Amino acid sequence: MRFLIHPIIALAAWLLLAWPVPAACEDTVLVVPKAESVQFWGMVRQGAMDAGVGRGVRVLYRGPLAHESDERQRAIIEQGLAEGVDAVVIAPSSVDALTDVTLAARDKGVPLVVIDSALGDGWQVSFVATDNLEAGRVAARFLLSSAPGGGTILLLRHKAGSSATEKREVGFAAEVEADGRHDILLSDYLGVSQGNAYHRTMSLLRDHPEINGVFASGEVATMGCIRAVRELGLMGRVKVVGFDDTPDIRRALEDGILQGVMVQQPYQMGLIGVETACDALAGRPVKKRIVTEAVLVTSSEEFESYFLTNP
């Protein structure tokens, strides 16, 4: 007996064979952000999940909920290793706090991809992040051009041991010192609380009326600074450059509280981080250092234009 294959079925079978399909790693990748509730990490999550769909990988996205916590990140990685995850993508809250657990991953043969902030042991297969040193320099050059006559610039620092923000702060301070026209006032480390960032910035601005410029090196510091400048009525007199993107930061830029914002590519960090983990699992060569873009934006229109071409 002869069986005839329907032409439509035959065409569908041919398309399945001929159409190129992205290589799938068919494994589980654990992605550990610094704090899930911060908008930056929500965009990292979107990129990671999209990479999972594209590569056919199961993505577990688990991190501290509201505040950065080395202990919580360690517990999440330990749990993931116990569950048998195949790769880990981590944005470490501190440069040296997770050495033990990440070395445990290495000993199990689990590839580690680091995103956003550096990890001290350096054995990871790849590091995907902004060039934060240069981002700090770019912010400084813009702020210096906005307040050319000299004065005092306040540098709002984020968290001790956070490689990403510390590099921004170093790059910023080096540029201001090289320019030589301004004094630099360093805040203490503000930490992960917007409330603390707000209160400390309020105190510093009240105690130092000579301040005519501020650089906030991260999202939390930027949000606290916005509130302080608004309540003290210092819009325009004190020039402010912030970091990262939230609806409140965009509104502050429109309202003139911020003169500029350094914007990163968190979606790309999540996407490339998971894709790189998949490549490592598949035995493909991966770049040891992958730089994602950061740009200075000075208007809401520039925000929209940038994210239309850089999701």
Side-chain angles (χ1 to χ4, degrees), residues 193-283:
S193 166
Q194 284 189 23
N196 185 61
Y198 157 68
H199 288 296
R200 289 297 300 130
T201 305
M202 284 279 285
S203 295
L204 288 166
L205 290 173
R206 283 172 173 162
D207 294 345
H208 298 274
E210 73 276 12
I211 292 172
N212 60 350
V214 180
F215 174 54
S217 66
E219 180 179 322
V220 171
T222 302
M223 296 296 293
C225 181
I226 288 169
R227 183 179 169 192
V229 169
R230 180 184 287 116
E231 291 188 14
L232 291 172
L234 296 176
M235 294 182 300
R237 190 181 77 75
V238 175
K239 310 296 184 182
V240 183
V241 176
F243 222 100
D244 287 329
D245 174 31
T246 71
D248 287 336
I249 288 175
R250 293 194 185 198
R251 281 192 291 272
L253 192 63
E254 292 176 356
D255 293 343
I257 297 172
L258 297 176
Q259 279 63 55
V261 184
M262 293 300 303
V263 182
Q264 304 182 85
Q265 288 186 306
Y267 177 90
Q268 293 296 328
M269 285 187 199
L271 183 82
I272 296 170
V274 170
E275 289 180 340
T276 302
C278 287
D279 287 341
L281 285 168

Coordinates of all heavy atoms in Angstrom, one line a residue, residues 193-283:
S193 N 19.9 52.3 51.2 CA 18.7 52.9 51.6 C 18.5 54.3 50.9 O 19.4 55.1 51.2 CB 18.6 53.0 53.1 OG 17.6 53.8 53.5
Q194 N 17.4 54.5 50.2 CA 17.1 55.8 49.6 C 16.9 56.8 50.8 O 17.3 58.0 50.6 CB 15.9 55.7 48.7 CG 16.2 55.1 47.4 CD 15.0 55.3 46.5 OE1 14.1 56.2 46.6 NE2 14.8 54.4 45.5
G195 N 16.3 56.4 51.9 CA 16.1 57.3 53.0 C 17.4 57.8 53.5 O 17.6 59.0 53.8
N196 N 18.4 56.9 53.7 CA 19.7 57.3 54.2 C 20.4 58.3 53.2 O 21.0 59.3 53.6 CB 20.6 56.1 54.5 CG 21.9 56.5 55.2 OD1 21.9 57.1 56.2 ND2 23.0 56.3 54.5
A197 N 20.3 57.9 51.9 CA 20.9 58.8 50.9 C 20.3 60.2 50.9 O 21.0 61.2 50.8 CB 20.7 58.1 49.5
Y198 N 19.0 60.2 51.1 CA 18.3 61.5 51.2 C 18.7 62.3 52.4 O 19.1 63.5 52.3 CB 16.8 61.3 51.2 CG 16.0 62.4 51.8 CD1 15.9 63.6 51.2 CD2 15.3 62.2 53.1 CE1 15.1 64.7 51.8 CE2 14.6 63.2 53.6 CZ 14.5 64.5 53.0 OH 13.7 65.5 53.5
H199 N 18.7 61.7 53.6 CA 19.1 62.5 54.8 C 20.5 62.9 54.8 O 20.9 64.1 55.2 CB 18.8 61.6 56.0 CG 17.4 61.4 56.3 ND1 16.5 62.5 56.7 CD2 16.6 60.3 56.3 CE1 15.3 62.1 56.9 NE2 15.3 60.8 56.6
R200 N 21.5 62.1 54.3 CA 22.9 62.5 54.3 C 23.1 63.6 53.3 O 23.9 64.5 53.5 CB 23.7 61.3 54.0 CG 23.8 60.2 55.1 CD 24.5 60.8 56.3 NE 25.8 61.2 56.1 CZ 26.3 62.4 56.4 NH1 25.5 63.3 57.1 NH2 27.6 62.7 56.2
T201 N 22.4 63.5 52.1 CA 22.6 64.5 51.1 C 22.1 65.9 51.6 O 22.7 66.9 51.4 CB 21.9 64.1 49.8 OG1 22.4 62.9 49.4 CG2 22.2 65.2 48.7
M202 N 20.9 65.8 52.3 CA 20.3 67.0 52.9 C 21.3 67.7 53.8 O 21.6 68.9 53.8 CB 19.0 66.7 53.6 CG 17.9 66.4 52.8 SD 17.0 67.9 52.2 CE 16.2 68.4 53.7
S203 N 21.9 66.9 54.7 CA 22.9 67.4 55.7 C 24.1 68.0 55.0 O 24.5 69.2 55.4 CB 23.3 66.3 56.7 OG 22.2 65.9 57.4
L204 N 24.6 67.4 54.0 CA 25.8 67.9 53.4 C 25.5 69.1 52.6 O 26.4 70.1 52.6 CB 26.4 66.8 52.4 CG 27.0 65.6 53.1 CD1 27.2 64.4 52.1 CD2 28.4 66.0 53.7
L205 N 24.4 69.2 51.9 CA 24.1 70.4 51.2 C 23.8 71.6 52.1 O 24.1 72.8 51.8 CB 22.9 70.2 50.3 CG 23.1 69.3 49.1 CD1 21.8 68.9 48.4 CD2 24.1 69.9 48.1
R206 N 23.2 71.4 53.3 CA 23.0 72.4 54.3 C 24.3 72.9 54.9 O 24.5 74.1 55.1 CB 22.0 71.9 55.3 CG 20.6 71.9 54.9 CD 19.8 71.2 56.0 NE 18.3 71.2 55.8 CZ 17.4 70.4 56.4 NH1 17.9 69.5 57.2 NH2 16.2 70.5 56.1
D207 N 25.2 71.9 55.2 CA 26.4 72.3 55.9 C 27.5 72.9 55.0 O 28.4 73.5 55.5 CB 27.0 71.0 56.6 CG 26.1 70.5 57.7 OD1 25.2 71.3 58.1 OD2 26.3 69.3 58.1
H208 N 27.3 72.7 53.7 CA 28.3 73.2 52.7 C 27.6 74.0 51.6 O 27.5 73.5 50.5 CB 29.1 72.0 52.1 CG 29.9 71.2 53.2 ND1 31.1 71.6 53.6 CD2 29.5 70.1 53.9 CE1 31.5 70.7 54.5 NE2 30.6 69.8 54.7
P209 N 27.2 75.2 51.9 CA 26.5 76.0 50.9 C 27.4 76.3 49.7 O 26.9 76.8 48.6 CB 26.2 77.3 51.6 CG 27.1 77.3 52.8 CD 27.4 75.9 53.2
E210 N 28.7 76.1 49.8 CA 29.6 76.3 48.6 C 29.5 75.2 47.5 O 30.0 75.4 46.4 CB 31.1 76.4 49.1 CG 31.7 75.1 49.5 CD 31.4 74.6 51.0 OE1 30.5 75.3 51.6 OE2 32.0 73.7 51.5
I211 N 28.8 74.1 47.8 CA 28.6 73.1 46.8 C 27.8 73.6 45.6 O 26.7 74.2 45.8 CB 27.9 71.9 47.4 CG1 28.8 71.2 48.5 CG2 27.5 70.9 46.3 CD1 28.1 70.1 49.3
N212 N 28.4 73.5 44.4 CA 27.6 73.9 43.2 C 27.5 72.8 42.2 O 27.1 73.0 41.1 CB 28.3 75.1 42.6 CG 29.7 74.9 42.2 OD1 30.3 73.9 42.5 ND2 30.3 75.8 41.4
G213 N 28.0 71.5 42.6 CA 27.8 70.4 41.7 C 27.8 69.1 42.5 O 28.4 69.0 43.6
V214 N 27.0 68.1 42.0 CA 26.9 66.8 42.7 C 27.0 65.7 41.7 O 26.3 65.8 40.6 CB 25.6 66.7 43.5 CG1 25.5 65.4 44.2 CG2 25.4 67.9 44.5
F215 N 27.7 64.7 42.0 CA 27.6 63.4 41.2 C 27.2 62.3 42.1 O 27.8 62.0 43.1 CB 29.0 63.1 40.6 CG 29.0 61.8 39.9 CD1 28.1 61.5 38.9 CD2 30.0 60.8 40.2 CE1 28.1 60.3 38.2 CE2 30.0 59.6 39.6 CZ 29.1 59.3 38.6
A216 N 26.1 61.7 41.7 CA 25.6 60.5 42.4 C 25.9 59.3 41.6 O 25.5 59.1 40.5 CB 24.1 60.6 42.6
S217 N 26.7 58.3 42.3 CA 27.3 57.2 41.5 C 26.4 56.0 41.3 O 26.8 55.1 40.6 CB 28.6 56.8 42.2 OG 28.3 56.2 43.4
G218 N 25.2 56.1 41.8 CA 24.2 54.9 41.5 C 22.8 55.4 41.7 O 22.5 56.5 42.1
E219 N 21.9 54.4 41.4 CA 20.5 54.7 41.4 C 20.0 55.2 42.8 O 19.2 56.2 42.9 CB 19.7 53.5 41.0 CG 18.2 53.7 41.0 CD 17.4 52.4 40.5 OE1 17.9 51.7 39.6 OE2 16.3 52.2 41.1
V220 N 20.4 54.5 43.9 CA 19.9 54.9 45.2 C 20.4 56.3 45.6 O 19.6 57.1 46.1 CB 20.4 53.8 46.2 CG1 20.1 54.3 47.7 CG2 19.7 52.5 46.0
A221 N 21.7 56.6 45.4 CA 22.2 57.9 45.7 C 21.5 59.0 44.8 O 21.2 60.1 45.3 CB 23.7 57.9 45.5
T222 N 21.2 58.6 43.6 CA 20.6 59.6 42.7 C 19.2 59.9 43.2 O 18.8 61.1 43.2 CB 20.5 59.1 41.2 OG1 21.8 58.8 40.8 CG2 19.8 60.1 40.3
M223 N 18.4 58.9 43.6 CA 17.1 59.1 44.1 C 17.1 60.0 45.3 O 16.2 60.9 45.5 CB 16.4 57.8 44.3 CG 16.2 57.0 43.0 SD 15.1 57.8 41.8 CE 13.6 57.7 42.7
G224 N 18.0 59.7 46.3 CA 18.1 60.5 47.5 C 18.4 61.9 47.2 O 17.9 62.9 47.8
C225 N 19.4 62.1 46.3 CA 19.8 63.5 45.9 C 18.7 64.3 45.3 O 18.5 65.5 45.6 CB 21.0 63.4 45.0 SG 21.7 64.9 44.5
I226 N 17.9 63.6 44.4 CA 16.8 64.3 43.7 C 15.9 64.9 44.8 O 15.5 66.1 44.7 CB 16.0 63.4 42.8 CG1 16.9 63.0 41.6 CG2 14.7 63.9 42.4 CD1 16.3 61.9 40.8
R227 N 15.5 64.1 45.8 CA 14.6 64.6 46.8 C 15.2 65.7 47.6 O 14.5 66.7 47.9 CB 14.2 63.4 47.7 CG 13.2 63.7 48.8 CD 12.9 62.5 49.6 NE 12.2 62.8 50.8 CZ 12.0 61.9 51.8 NH1 12.4 60.7 51.8 NH2 11.3 62.3 52.9
A228 N 16.5 65.6 48.0 CA 17.1 66.6 48.8 C 17.2 68.0 48.0 O 16.9 69.0 48.6 CB 18.5 66.2 49.2
V229 N 17.6 67.9 46.8 CA 17.7 69.1 46.0 C 16.4 69.8 45.8 O 16.2 71.0 45.9 CB 18.4 68.8 44.6 CG1 18.3 70.0 43.7 CG2 19.9 68.4 44.8
R230 N 15.4 69.0 45.6 CA 14.0 69.5 45.4 C 13.5 70.2 46.7 O 13.0 71.4 46.6 CB 13.0 68.4 45.0 CG 11.6 69.0 44.8 CD 10.6 67.8 44.5 NE 10.8 67.3 43.1 CZ 11.2 66.1 42.8 NH1 11.4 65.2 43.8 NH2 11.2 65.7 41.6
E231 N 13.7 69.6 47.8 CA 13.2 70.1 49.0 C 13.9 71.4 49.5 O 13.4 72.3 50.1 CB 13.2 69.1 50.1 CG 12.2 68.0 49.9 CD 12.0 67.0 51.0 OE1 12.5 67.3 52.1 OE2 11.4 65.9 50.8
L232 N 15.2 71.4 49.2 CA 16.0 72.6 49.6 C 15.9 73.7 48.5 O 16.5 74.8 48.8 CB 17.5 72.2 49.7 CG 17.8 71.2 50.9 CD1 19.3 70.8 50.8 CD2 17.6 72.0 52.2
G233 N 15.2 73.5 47.5 CA 15.0 74.6 46.4 C 16.3 74.9 45.7 O 16.5 76.1 45.4
L234 N 17.2 73.9 45.5 CA 18.5 74.2 44.9 C 18.6 73.9 43.4 O 19.6 73.9 42.8 CB 19.6 73.4 45.6 CG 19.8 73.7 47.1 CD1 20.8 72.8 47.7 CD2 20.3 75.2 47.2
M235 N 17.4 73.7 42.8 CA 17.4 73.4 41.3 C 18.0 74.5 40.6 O 17.7 75.7 40.7 CB 15.9 73.2 40.9 CG 15.2 72.0 41.4 SD 13.5 71.8 40.8 CE 12.8 73.3 41.3
G236 N 18.9 74.1 39.7 CA 19.6 75.1 38.8 C 20.9 75.7 39.5 O 21.9 75.8 38.8
R237 N 20.8 76.0 40.8 CA 22.0 76.5 41.4 C 23.1 75.4 41.7 O 24.3 75.7 41.5 CB 21.7 77.2 42.8 CG 22.8 77.9 43.4 CD 22.5 78.5 44.7 NE 22.6 77.6 45.8 CZ 23.7 77.1 46.3 NH1 24.9 77.4 45.8 NH2 23.6 76.2 47.3
V238 N 22.6 74.2 42.0 CA 23.5 73.1 42.2 C 23.3 72.2 41.0 O 22.1 71.7 40.7 CB 23.2 72.3 43.5 CG1 24.0 71.1 43.6 CG2 23.4 73.2 44.7
K239 N 24.3 72.0 40.2 CA 24.2 71.1 39.0 C 24.4 69.7 39.4 O 25.4 69.3 40.2 CB 25.3 71.5 38.0 CG 25.3 73.0 37.6 CD 24.0 73.4 37.0 CE 24.1 74.9 36.6 NZ 22.9 75.4 36.0
V240 N 23.6 68.8 38.9 CA 23.6 67.4 39.4 C 23.6 66.4 38.2 O 22.9 66.6 37.3 CB 22.3 67.0 40.3 CG1 22.4 65.6 40.8 CG2 22.2 68.0 41.4
V241 N 24.5 65.4 38.3 CA 24.6 64.3 37.4 C 24.3 63.0 38.1 O 25.0 62.8 39.2 CB 25.9 64.2 36.6 CG1 26.0 63.0 35.7 CG2 26.2 65.5 35.8
G242 N 23.4 62.3 37.7 CA 23.0 61.0 38.3 C 23.4 59.8 37.5 O 24.1 59.9 36.5
F243 N 22.9 58.6 38.0 CA 23.3 57.4 37.3 C 22.1 56.5 37.3 O 21.4 56.3 38.3 CB 24.5 56.7 38.1 CG 25.5 56.1 37.2 CD1 26.7 56.8 36.9 CD2 25.3 54.9 36.5 CE1 27.7 56.3 36.1 CE2 26.3 54.3 35.7 CZ 27.4 55.0 35.5
D244 N 21.9 55.8 36.1 CA 20.8 54.8 35.9 C 19.5 55.5 35.6 O 19.3 56.7 35.7 CB 20.7 53.8 37.0 CG 21.9 52.9 37.0 OD1 22.4 52.6 35.9 OD2 22.4 52.4 38.0
D245 N 18.5 54.6 35.3 CA 17.2 55.1 34.7 C 16.0 54.5 35.5 O 15.9 53.3 35.7 CB 17.1 54.5 33.2 CG 15.8 54.8 32.6 OD1 15.2 55.9 32.9 OD2 15.4 54.0 31.8
T246 N 15.2 55.5 36.0 CA 13.9 55.1 36.6 C 12.9 56.2 36.1 O 13.4 57.3 35.7 CB 13.9 55.1 38.1 OG1 14.1 56.5 38.6 CG2 15.1 54.3 38.7
P247 N 11.6 56.0 36.3 CA 10.7 57.1 35.9 C 10.9 58.4 36.7 O 10.8 59.5 36.2 CB 9.3 56.4 36.3 CG 9.5 55.0 36.1 CD 10.9 54.7 36.5
D248 N 11.3 58.2 38.0 CA 11.5 59.4 38.8 C 12.8 60.1 38.4 O 12.8 61.4 38.4 CB 11.7 59.0 40.3 CG 10.4 58.6 40.9 OD1 9.3 59.1 40.4 OD2 10.4 57.9 41.9
I249 N 13.8 59.4 37.9 CA 15.0 60.1 37.4 C 14.7 60.8 36.1 O 15.2 61.9 35.9 CB 16.1 59.0 37.2 CG1 16.7 58.6 38.6 CG2 17.2 59.6 36.4 CD1 17.7 57.4 38.5
R250 N 13.9 60.2 35.3 CA 13.5 60.9 34.0 C 12.7 62.2 34.3 O 13.0 63.2 33.7 CB 12.7 60.0 33.1 CG 13.5 58.8 32.6 CD 12.7 58.1 31.5 NE 13.4 56.9 31.0 CZ 13.2 56.3 29.9 NH1 12.3 56.8 29.0 NH2 13.8 55.2 29.5
R251 N 11.8 62.1 35.3 CA 11.0 63.3 35.6 C 12.0 64.4 36.2 O 11.8 65.6 35.9 CB 9.9 63.0 36.6 CG 8.7 62.3 36.0 CD 7.6 62.3 37.0 NE 7.8 61.3 38.1 CZ 7.5 60.0 38.0 NH1 6.9 59.5 36.9 NH2 7.7 59.2 39.0
A252 N 12.9 64.0 37.0 CA 13.9 65.0 37.6 C 14.7 65.6 36.5 O 15.0 66.8 36.6 CB 14.8 64.3 38.6
L253 N 15.0 64.9 35.4 CA 15.7 65.5 34.3 C 14.8 66.5 33.6 O 15.3 67.6 33.2 CB 16.2 64.4 33.4 CG 17.2 64.7 32.3 CD1 18.5 65.2 32.9 CD2 17.4 63.5 31.3
E254 N 13.6 66.1 33.4 CA 12.6 67.0 32.7 C 12.4 68.3 33.6 O 12.3 69.4 33.0 CB 11.3 66.3 32.5 CG 11.3 65.2 31.5 CD 10.0 64.5 31.4 OE1 9.1 64.9 32.1 OE2 9.9 63.6 30.5
D255 N 12.4 68.1 34.9 CA 12.1 69.3 35.8 C 13.4 70.1 36.1 O 13.3 71.2 36.7 CB 11.6 68.8 37.2 CG 10.3 68.1 37.0 OD1 9.6 68.3 36.0 OD2 9.9 67.3 38.0
G256 N 14.5 69.7 35.6 CA 15.7 70.5 35.8 C 16.5 70.3 37.1 O 17.4 71.0 37.4
I257 N 16.0 69.3 37.8 CA 16.8 68.9 39.1 C 18.1 68.2 38.7 O 19.1 68.5 39.3 CB 15.9 68.0 40.0 CG1 14.6 68.8 40.4 CG2 16.7 67.5 41.2 CD1 13.6 67.9 41.1
L258 N 18.0 67.4 37.7 CA 19.2 66.8 37.1 C 19.6 67.4 35.8 O 18.7 67.8 35.0 CB 19.0 65.3 36.9 CG 18.7 64.4 38.0 CD1 18.4 63.0 37.6 CD2 19.8 64.4 39.0
Q259 N 20.9 67.6 35.6 CA 21.3 68.2 34.3 C 21.8 67.1 33.4 O 21.8 67.3 32.2 CB 22.5 69.2 34.6 CG 22.0 70.6 35.0 CD 21.3 70.6 36.3 OE1 21.8 70.1 37.3 NE2 20.1 71.1 36.4
G260 N 22.1 65.9 33.9 CA 22.5 64.8 33.1 C 22.4 63.5 33.9 O 22.4 63.5 35.1
V261 N 22.3 62.4 33.1 CA 22.3 61.1 33.7 C 23.1 60.1 32.9 O 23.0 60.1 31.7 CB 20.8 60.5 33.8 CG1 20.8 59.2 34.5 CG2 19.9 61.5 34.5
M262 N 24.0 59.4 33.6 CA 24.7 58.3 32.9 C 23.8 57.1 32.8 O 23.3 56.6 33.9 CB 26.0 57.9 33.6 CG 27.0 59.0 33.6 SD 27.6 59.5 32.0 CE 28.2 57.9 31.3
V263 N 23.6 56.6 31.6 CA 22.6 55.5 31.4 C 23.4 54.2 30.9 O 24.1 54.3 29.9 CB 21.5 55.9 30.4 CG1 20.5 54.7 30.3 CG2 20.8 57.1 30.9
Q264 N 23.1 53.1 31.6 CA 23.8 51.9 31.1 C 22.8 51.0 30.3 O 21.8 51.5 29.9 CB 24.2 51.0 32.4 CG 25.1 51.8 33.3 CD 25.5 50.9 34.5 OE1 26.4 50.2 34.4 NE2 24.7 51.0 35.6
Q265 N 23.2 49.8 30.0 CA 22.4 48.8 29.3 C 22.1 47.6 30.1 O 22.7 46.5 29.8 CB 23.1 48.4 28.0 CG 23.2 49.5 27.0 CD 23.8 49.0 25.6 OE1 24.9 48.5 25.6 NE2 23.0 49.2 24.6
P266 N 21.3 47.7 31.1 CA 21.0 46.5 32.0 C 20.4 45.3 31.2 O 20.7 44.1 31.5 CB 20.1 47.0 33.0 CG 19.5 48.3 32.5 CD 20.6 48.8 31.6
Y267 N 19.5 45.6 30.2 CA 18.9 44.5 29.4 C 20.0 43.7 28.7 O 20.0 42.5 28.7 CB 18.0 45.1 28.4 CG 17.4 44.1 27.5 CD1 16.2 43.4 27.8 CD2 18.0 43.8 26.3 CE1 15.6 42.5 27.0 CE2 17.4 42.8 25.4 CZ 16.3 42.2 25.8 OH 15.7 41.2 24.9
Q268 N 21.0 44.4 28.1 CA 22.1 43.7 27.4 C 22.9 42.9 28.4 O 23.4 41.9 28.1 CB 22.9 44.8 26.7 CG 22.2 45.4 25.5 CD 21.8 44.4 24.4 OE1 22.5 43.4 24.2 NE2 20.7 44.7 23.7
M269 N 23.2 43.5 29.6 CA 23.9 42.7 30.6 C 23.3 41.4 30.9 O 23.9 40.3 30.9 CB 24.1 43.5 31.9 CG 25.1 44.6 31.8 SD 25.3 45.4 33.5 CE 26.0 46.9 33.0
G270 N 22.0 41.4 31.1 CA 21.2 40.1 31.4 C 21.3 39.2 30.2 O 21.5 38.0 30.3
L271 N 21.0 39.8 29.0 CA 21.0 38.9 27.8 C 22.3 38.3 27.5 O 22.4 37.1 27.3 CB 20.5 39.8 26.6 CG 20.4 39.2 25.3 CD1 19.0 38.5 25.2 CD2 20.6 40.2 24.1
I272 N 23.4 39.1 27.5 CA 24.7 38.7 27.1 C 25.2 37.7 28.2 O 25.9 36.8 27.9 CB 25.7 39.8 26.9 CG1 25.2 40.7 25.7 CG2 27.1 39.4 26.7 CD1 25.9 42.0 25.5
G273 N 24.9 38.0 29.5 CA 25.3 37.2 30.6 C 24.9 35.7 30.4 O 25.6 34.8 30.5
V274 N 23.6 35.6 30.1 CA 23.0 34.2 29.9 C 23.5 33.6 28.7 O 23.9 32.4 28.6 CB 21.5 34.2 30.0 CG1 20.9 32.9 29.6 CG2 21.0 34.6 31.4
E275 N 23.6 34.4 27.6 CA 24.1 33.8 26.3 C 25.6 33.3 26.5 O 25.9 32.3 25.9 CB 24.0 34.8 25.2 CG 22.6 35.1 24.8 CD 22.5 36.2 23.6 OE1 23.5 36.9 23.5 OE2 21.5 36.2 23.0
T276 N 26.4 34.1 27.2 CA 27.7 33.7 27.4 C 27.8 32.4 28.3 O 28.7 31.6 28.0 CB 28.5 34.9 28.1 OG1 28.4 36.0 27.3 CG2 30.0 34.5 28.3
A277 N 27.0 32.3 29.3 CA 26.9 31.1 30.1 C 26.6 29.9 29.2 O 27.2 28.8 29.3 CB 25.9 31.2 31.2
C278 N 25.6 30.1 28.3 CA 25.3 29.0 27.4 C 26.5 28.6 26.5 O 26.7 27.4 26.2 CB 24.1 29.4 26.5 SG 22.5 29.5 27.4
D279 N 27.2 29.6 25.9 CA 28.3 29.3 25.1 C 29.4 28.6 25.9 O 30.0 27.6 25.4 CB 28.9 30.6 24.5 CG 28.0 31.2 23.5 OD1 27.2 30.5 22.9 OD2 28.2 32.5 23.2
A280 N 29.6 29.0 27.1 CA 30.6 28.3 27.9 C 30.2 26.8 28.2 O 31.1 25.9 28.1 CB 30.8 29.0 29.3
L281 N 28.9 26.6 28.5 CA 28.5 25.2 28.7 C 28.6 24.4 27.4 O 28.9 23.2 27.5 CB 27.0 25.2 29.1 CG 26.7 25.7 30.6 CD1 25.3 25.9 30.8 CD2 27.2 24.6 31.5
A282 N 28.5 25.0 26.3 CA 28.6 24.3 25.0 C 30.0 24.1 24.5 O 30.3 23.5 23.5 CB 27.8 25.0 23.9
G283 N 31.0 24.7 25.3 CA 32.4 24.5 24.9 C 32.8 25.5 23.9 O 33.9 25.3 23.3

